[in-house]
Amino acid sequence: MTFSNNRPLNLPFAFVFCFSIALSFGQDNTSSTRDTVAPHSLDEVVITANRFGTFQNKTPEAIEVVHNNTIQRFQLRTAPEALLLSPGVFVQKTNHGGGSPFVRGLTGNQTLLLYDGIRLNNATVRSGPNQYFNTIDVFSVGKMEVLRGSGSVQYGSDAIGGTIQALSRELKLAPKPLWGTDLFTRLVTQGMEQTVNGALKYSDKRMAFRANATWRNFGDLVGGDTTGQQSPTGYRELNFDLKGKILLNDRSNLTTVYQRVHQRDVPVYHKVALEDYAINRMDPQKRELAYARLHQDLNNSIFKSALVTASFQQNEEGRILQKNGSSLERTENDKVRTFGFSAETRTSSGEIWSANSGVEVYSDKVKSSRTDKDLSTNTETVGRGLYPDGATMTSIAAFSMHTLSLQQWEITAGGRFNTFINKVTDSALGTTKLTPSALVGNLAVQRSLNQSSNIFASINTGFRAPNINDLGSLGIVDFRYETPNFDLKPEHSLQYQVGYKFRNRLLKAEVFLYRNELNDLIVRHRIEGDSIEGYPVYQKKNVERGFVQGAEMAWDLTLNPTWKFSGNLTYTYGQNKTSDEPARRIPPLFGRLATEYGVKNWAFNVDWLIAGKQDRLASGDLDDNRIPLGGTPGWNVLNLHTSYTFSYVTIDLGLQNIFNEDYRYHGSGVNGYGRSGVVSVSARL
């Protein structure tokens, strides 16, 4: 892998300077009467922070919203790549069919993923980068919310770094029957993408539904400068989702959703390029979700509403592996079936106190298998899968979150008790039962300085319960061989932060400082002198402590109806206290600058992505073949997009990586896009 020379280290200083000027400009214009700001900027309603709709500016949390129209405007390919629009999120790509968001230096099973309030994290979600967020069809999403540094009280295990929630498109009733159709197609040069999406919509005064289907064919990813085509990286995808809403009466409604994402032949490129594999791919990579949600207005003096949700999910991951020169082809398959149930009530008394309390249950069952086929004799041998077949994990929780609004003060506090039942029966390892539990809480205080400015401080405790992946994995993972450990307890975190939020008709600006203390971390521990199939042997143990701290800033400046400027910058520092070395996979200094210009039917967008060099590496990073010798170089990438709308049709044109720079997100297994053209056409009928 090669990279061109870069000079990114002077960019943050310019970035901070621009941010300071923008902030001063906004403070000098708090009395402006022009309502030129985009409709999402002032009174954005967010869900994730409290499990119900609250105004973003009154929420004492670091939370950001990414809308579908912005994703389309910048022609972002997948749900993980769309998160690049959010401050504080760094997206690592082990392979082109993946995309693992880092929130405050943490990813994998230390970052919680949700869809419409339903947990995507299940019993086999592994540590480190993964592909799970890429099993969300970006065309099914209305918006995404990123809650940095919180989420354990609201949603349970895994939200140590934060919570990322994708929310489906909102359905609205209409006074008379109304049909509609959305059509979309996109092509990327050098055969890197062919996408077709269509949606059928209907609404009347009693019901509404939206049916959506997406077909995608991704060719091999072509990098910049000297990288060229990275083969194999392409894959295929077929998705379908249906959402319906029925008004049962004036006080209640029922929402149902079914979605299915199916990705095929998803190669793990660095395994083929660097680890002597002839074949290493995921096939299939599937996720199904179905849920029904009843919303009931109670019209009580204290109890305002109730929400009951029942859900079913099934995730399937298949892996096909064959080494060069070997006649042995290994096929592994893991399925996780998840039933979920939650019931919660919204209570309040006047405008001072409100609360959201409830119970939540998730039940996972794992089906895991492995077949080794000798291609020379066409004989098959069935063996133990990566996980113990039939293993189960049940989560039972009760939570309560409260808000006090006292003139200029906003105080939120809450708690959750969560207990787990893990059962593993394995022919090779015997039978075991583990019942960890956790009690967590949070407290945040926000003070309004004036109509435009708020400051807040918060403290959150979080946890991650050991799952089946921790307890029962047996086999090759990344560049190591794992054996199980049945004596694990939950990881814990204590995160405290301070923040400043400014918002008026022209400017939205935010600055956050945080520190996250991490204890009882479950890590892979090397068993010295032992090896299996040529790989070093590791076992997971609660043996490490560490911390992650950092700073985040973001701003959106709307000068007039035609011009908008935005940007963000994130600094992250992580340290492993146990081994007295840097924490693994910590992102470098990174950020984004964007300019948007719109007049009549034309829109023009420029975004500039930057990342500094990351050479502060843990010993595990030094052993990771995805990280170049000496660390990952810094880079700057400039993209251009323009669109024109006439009648019901919009044509978008884009030029990615104008200067054809070789670049890689730190820890990724593939380099980013080289210079390429993008064209898309959408129609709303």
Side-chain angles (χ1 to χ4, degrees):
M1 63 191 75
T2 58
F3 297 88
S4 58
N5 293 327
N6 305 278
R7 295 186 300 275
L9 296 181
N10 62 329
L11 297 176
F13 298 102
F15 207 174
V16 173
F17 178 71
C18 293
F19 180 83
S20 302
I21 293 176
L23 184 58
S24 300
F25 180 88
Q27 290 173 328
D28 291 339
N29 290 275
T30 55
S31 60
S32 172
T33 59
R34 292 183 300 164
D35 189 13
T36 58
V37 74
H40 298 305
S41 299
L42 285 176
D43 294 321
E44 180 74 86
V45 174
V46 293
I47 305 295
T48 307
N50 294 303
R51 296 182 65 116
F52 61 88
T54 55
F55 289 124
Q56 184 181 13
N57 203 40
K58 291 186 177 182
T59 303
E61 298 281 2
I63 187 168
E64 185 67 23
V65 182
V66 178
H67 286 272
N68 179 272
N69 55 2
T70 307
I71 296 170
Q72 291 191 15
R73 192 159 63 247
F74 287 95
Q75 301 202 62
L76 294 163
R77 184 180 69 96
T78 64
E81 291 178 16
L83 290 171
L84 296 173
L85 297 173
S86 175
V89 180
F90 190 83
V91 180
Q92 185 265 22
K93 290 176 61 177
T94 293
N95 59 332
H96 195 40
S100 190
F102 279 70
V103 180
R104 294 191 168 174
L106 300 175
T107 193
N109 56 19
Q110 294 177 321
T111 298
L112 179 58
L113 307 178
L114 306 168
Y115 192 95
D116 282 357
I118 297 167
R119 293 173 57 90
L120 299 186
N121 293 43
N122 59 33
T124 64
V125 170
R126 56 186 175 269
S127 62
N130 57 53
Q131 77 283 8
Y132 304 117
F133 204 67
N134 195 40
T135 62
I136 293 176
D137 182 5
V138 70
F139 295 99
S140 75
V141 174
K143 65 177 182 177
M144 292 186 284
E145 296 181 359
V146 180
L147 176 61
R148 306 190 297 277
S150 184
S152 278
V153 170
Q154 300 94 316
Y155 297 101
S157 178
D158 301 0
I160 293 180
T163 303
I164 298 175
Q165 175 160 213
L167 295 158
S168 59
R169 294 176 185 250
E170 184 180 357
L171 297 180
K172 295 182 178 180
L173 303 180
K176 60 181 181 179
L178 182 64
W179 288 90
T181 302
D182 294 339
L183 300 173
F184 177 89
T185 186
R186 178 164 61 211
L187 299 173
V188 179
T189 56
Q190 302 176 80
M192 283 193 285
E193 180 183 346
Q194 303 159 23
T195 291
V196 177
N197 169 262
L200 178 65
K201 302 175 290 184
Y202 174 80
S203 60
D204 60 30
K205 61 182 180 180
R206 303 292 299 182
M207 65 169 291
F209 75 83
R210 182 179 190 272
N212 175 75
T214 306
W215 173 85
R216 315 194 77 176
N217 182 36
F218 298 108
D220 286 335
L221 178 60
V222 179
D225 197 17
T226 58
T227 296
Q229 186 179 49
Q230 300 170 88
S231 181
T233 51
Y235 63 98
R236 295 169 293 160
E237 183 174 329
L238 183 62
N239 310 323
F240 173 78
D241 64 268
L242 176 65
K243 182 177 183 179
K245 182 177 181 179
I246 301 174
L247 186 65
L248 302 177
N249 55 53
D250 292 340
R251 294 170 53 188
S252 64
N253 63 75
L254 178 68
T255 300
T256 59
V257 164
Y258 172 77
Q259 59 181 214
R260 184 178 188 270
V261 174
H262 188 178
Q263 297 165 345
R264 297 183 178 183
D265 300 320
V266 185
V268 185
Y269 170 70
H270 77 280
K271 293 283 189 179
V272 175
L274 302 175
E275 296 186 21
D276 198 32
Y277 275 92
I279 301 173
N280 195 307
R281 68 176 185 265
M282 297 180 183
D283 185 25
Q285 188 165 284
K286 295 168 63 175
R287 183 179 61 82
E288 291 183 87
L289 168 65
Y291 76 79
R293 175 169 292 155
L294 176 66
H295 179 273
Q296 178 72 49
D297 290 329
L298 300 176
N299 288 342
N300 185 280
S301 58
I302 298 294
F303 294 94
K304 302 302 181 182
S305 63
L307 198 67
V308 178
T309 304
S311 63
F312 169 81
Q313 286 188 83
Q314 180 162 286
N315 288 266
E316 181 179 359
E317 178 182 317
R319 296 175 297 277
I320 302 175
L321 317 170
Q322 183 185 2
K323 287 276 193 173
N324 284 313
S326 173
S327 62
L328 180 66
E329 181 184 79
R330 173 166 293 177
T331 301
E332 300 176 333
N333 188 277
D334 303 317
K335 293 180 181 178
V336 183
R337 180 270 295 147
T338 304
F339 289 104
F341 175 83
S342 66
E344 55 193 283
T345 60
R346 174 94 169 108
T347 54
S348 67
S349 179
E351 297 181 356
I352 297 177
W353 168 80
S354 62
N356 193 43
S357 306
V359 295
E360 194 172 65
V361 179
Y362 284 92
S363 176
D364 292 355
K365 184 173 183 178
V366 179
K367 183 176 178 59
S368 185
S369 63
R370 187 190 83 203
T371 302
D372 292 337
K373 183 176 182 179
D374 190 329
L375 300 178
S376 62
T377 62
N378 202 31
T379 57
E380 294 185 349
T381 303
V382 177
R384 181 196 190 274
L386 182 60
Y387 307 111
D389 190 40
T392 61
M393 177 175 176
T394 302
S395 167
I396 304 170
F399 60 88
S400 186
M401 298 169 292
H402 301 258
T403 300
L404 289 176
S405 300
L406 304 171
Q407 294 181 346
Q408 296 173 315
W409 296 89
E410 196 85 9
I411 302 170
T412 64
R416 168 184 282 252
F417 177 74
N418 220 139
T419 187
F420 298 83
I421 304 171
N422 293 336
K423 293 182 179 180
V424 174
T425 300
D426 187 80
S427 57
L429 304 167
T431 301
T432 189
K433 180 179 179 181
L434 191 68
T435 57
S437 61
L439 178 64
V440 291
N442 59 17
L443 174 65
V445 179
Q446 179 165 289
R447 174 72 156 82
S448 176
L449 303 178
N450 52 49
Q451 290 184 346
S452 303
S453 299
N454 298 309
I455 59 172
F456 79 89
S458 69
I459 183 168
N460 294 281
T461 56
F463 75 102
R464 187 186 77 81
N467 61 16
I468 302 302
N469 178 270
D470 296 306
L471 296 173
S473 59
L474 176 64
I476 299 169
V477 180
D478 289 335
F479 46 88
R480 59 182 68 84
Y481 195 100
E482 286 192 11
T483 60
N485 181 9
F486 296 118
D487 186 23
L488 295 174
K489 58 185 179 180
E491 299 177 332
H492 290 92
S493 67
L494 173 64
Q495 183 161 174
Y496 36 93
Q497 66 176 329
V498 293
Y500 170 76
K501 299 180 181 181
F502 177 89
R503 193 166 304 196
N504 68 4
R505 296 175 184 272
L506 299 178
L507 178 69
K508 167 189 169 183
E510 301 174 332
V511 180
F512 304 99
L513 301 174
Y514 70 90
R515 182 179 173 99
N516 194 2
E517 299 283 353
L518 306 170
N519 296 290
D520 301 318
L521 294 177
I522 300 172
V523 297
R524 297 180 176 110
H525 186 73
R526 174 74 183 272
I527 300 177
E528 294 297 335
D530 200 0
S531 66
I532 299 176
E533 298 183 23
Y535 287 87
V537 178
Y538 285 74
Q539 189 177 66
K540 292 176 181 173
K541 296 182 179 180
N542 291 96
V543 295
E544 287 191 354
R545 297 182 304 115
F547 69 85
V548 181
Q549 62 188 22
E552 303 157 345
M553 63 170 64
W555 55 273
D556 291 276
L557 176 65
T558 304
L559 293 179
N560 55 53
T562 59
W563 282 99
K564 180 180 179 181
F565 301 89
S566 61
N568 60 69
L569 184 67
T570 300
Y571 168 75
T572 312
Y573 180 93
Q575 182 72 10
N576 186 321
K577 293 181 180 180
T578 304
S579 57
D580 192 26
E581 66 171 7
R584 283 212 64 191
R585 304 186 184 95
I586 294 297
L589 182 74
F590 68 95
R592 177 177 180 266
L593 283 171
T595 300
E596 301 179 43
Y597 173 77
V599 56
K600 294 184 178 179
N601 296 334
W602 282 98
F604 184 76
N605 311 300
V606 182
D607 66 327
W608 181 21
L609 306 174
I610 61 174
K613 181 179 181 179
Q614 182 53 290
D615 55 4
R616 187 175 182 272
L617 305 176
S619 56
D621 295 332
L622 295 174
D623 294 336
D624 192 335
N625 55 26
R626 291 167 292 190
I627 298 176
L629 185 65
T632 305
W635 47 264
N636 310 282
V637 171
L638 189 67
N639 305 308
L640 297 177
H641 300 276
T642 185
S643 66
Y644 180 74
T645 301
F646 59 94
S647 186
Y648 303 104
V649 178
T650 299
I651 300 174
D652 289 272
L653 301 174
L655 184 58
Q656 302 177 122
N657 194 358
I658 293 174
F659 300 112
N660 202 31
E661 177 143 2
D662 255 331
Y663 73 101
R664 168 173 294 198
Y665 281 86
H666 179 60
S668 294
V670 292
N671 287 0
Y673 293 96
R675 184 188 297 119
S676 51
V678 186
V679 57
S680 63
V681 179
S682 58
R684 292 191 172 184
L685 307 175

